[in-house]
Amino acid sequence: MSGTFKPFRITPSNVRLMRLGYVIHYVDDPAATVGFYEAAFGLERGFVHESGQFAEMDSGSTRLAFTAHALGAEVVPVPYVRSRPDADPAGYEITLLCEDVPAAYARAVGAGAVPVAEPHDTAWGQTVAYVRDRDGALVGLATPIA
């Protein structure tokens, strides 16, 4: 092999940085799910489309959105497995950060979230708890990582 090794360098011309814009949860009734997330987690509703097929929570720089399965079937080019309260949750979670996980857990369960794991401390220093939302998605409640 001849020549001098030149490491690859990332420059603005060869990479475009991305950022996470949305986490979209496909549900039966976006408006009802928005109401649940308001009551259970204290999130505020953002945009809600007049059709009732799409809604967003005001959740910071990344939006948590809900799309009706009917619209999902039109726009997603492949079939997907629906979240269901009577089935195992999918292999992901929606994690909401908060300072008081026990209070957040109690509020969520009081609003109808299904308890999965009570608040507990982790080896990496977070306090976490888990519930399932009205549509069967796993929701983690956690303190920020210090």
Side-chain angles (χ1 to χ4, degrees):
M1 191 170 174
S2 63
T4 304
F5 173 76
K6 294 184 181 179
F8 178 75
R9 297 183 64 166
I10 296 176
T11 65
S13 65
N14 65 14
V15 69
R16 182 173 181 175
L17 298 179
M18 292 188 200
R19 62 183 175 87
L20 182 60
Y22 289 88
V23 171
I24 300 176
H25 180 16
Y26 294 93
V27 300
D28 289 323
D29 183 347
T33 300
V34 163
F36 172 80
Y37 272 73
E38 287 175 321
F41 307 114
L43 294 179
E44 294 180 14
R45 71 182 58 212
F47 174 75
V48 178
H49 191 268
E50 62 190 32
S51 69
Q53 298 287 301
F54 180 83
E56 299 176 354
M57 303 307 298
D58 185 6
S59 54
S61 62
T62 299
R63 294 294 180 144
L64 175 58
F66 307 108
T67 298
H69 289 297
L71 181 58
E74 290 179 30
V75 299
V76 177
V78 296
Y80 59 86
V81 177
R82 291 180 179 214
S83 289
R84 294 187 359 236
D86 61 340
D88 289 340
Y92 71 92
E93 71 183 72
I94 297 167
T95 303
L96 301 172
L97 299 178
C98 59
E99 295 299 328
D100 188 345
V101 172
Y105 177 82
R107 176 183 180 154
V109 172
V114 176
V116 174
E118 292 186 359
H120 59 280
D121 294 329
T122 65
W124 53 90
Q126 280 184 295
T127 300
V128 300
Y130 294 93
V131 297
R132 290 187 67 187
D133 74 8
R134 68 181 302 279
D135 301 287
L138 186 62
V139 179
L141 306 170
T143 55
I145 294 177

